[in-house]
Amino acid sequence: MLTIKNIRPGILVIPDAGLKLKPGQAVDIERATQQIESALKKGYLTSVDPNEPADQKNVKDPDTESSAVDLSKLSATEAISRVNAEADPDMLKGQLETEKRRTVIDALKNRLEDLQGAAH
């Protein structure tokens, strides 16, 4: 059994698995289809271990961690995806100080609120 999570800012449709995932939605699947594998490689989905603590889920993904450092090199959509996958409030606060795009700033603020709400 595999749990996958949509980390894109919009709905993700995976026809060969019959899935329509909302932003941040996680689902359990029996096996990964070809389109799921492709979405995992492209960074649209992430594999989630339900037994792993929430604060460690993104630390093991070096691609997400290193890309989140410089959002300015990403498109707004990709930057928002990286922001939604980030679990470090300090990293998000640093990005908020330098980010100029309104949509990415809104995503940073929303993610910070989510993380602060989970901590309380």
Side-chain angles (χ1 to χ4, degrees):
M1 179 83 78
L2 176 67
T3 302
I4 56 172
K5 181 178 179 181
N6 177 11
I7 56 173
R8 298 203 25 98
I11 293 174
L12 180 64
V13 178
I14 306 172
D16 70 350
L19 295 174
K20 182 177 180 180
L21 302 173
K22 295 177 183 172
Q25 182 180 5
V27 295
D28 293 327
I29 57 171
E30 290 297 320
R31 63 177 183 81
T33 64
Q34 185 177 11
Q35 291 176 349
I36 289 173
E37 290 291 333
S38 176
L40 284 165
K41 287 178 186 173
K42 291 178 181 177
Y44 300 158
L45 293 172
T46 186
S47 178
V48 180
D49 182 357
N51 299 325
E52 188 175 340
D55 61 340
Q56 293 181 2
K57 286 183 180 173
N58 293 320
V59 174
K60 292 184 180 179
D61 187 1
D63 196 28
T64 300
E65 192 173 337
S66 64
S67 296
V69 173
D70 192 5
L71 296 177
S72 65
K73 293 183 179 179
L74 301 174
S75 71
T77 304
E78 291 170 333
I80 291 169
S81 293
R82 299 298 182 184
V83 166
N84 289 333
E86 183 60 54
D88 182 9
D90 294 328
M91 177 75 72
L92 295 170
K93 288 175 187 173
Q95 292 294 338
L96 191 57
E97 293 174 6
T98 60
E99 185 56 51
K100 293 178 179 26
R101 295 170 288 184
R102 187 82 224 147
T103 55
V104 180
I105 290 171
D106 290 342
L108 284 161
K109 288 179 180 177
N110 290 337
R111 184 64 179 149
L112 278 168
E113 287 176 12
D114 289 347
L115 291 174
Q116 290 169 352
H120 294 288

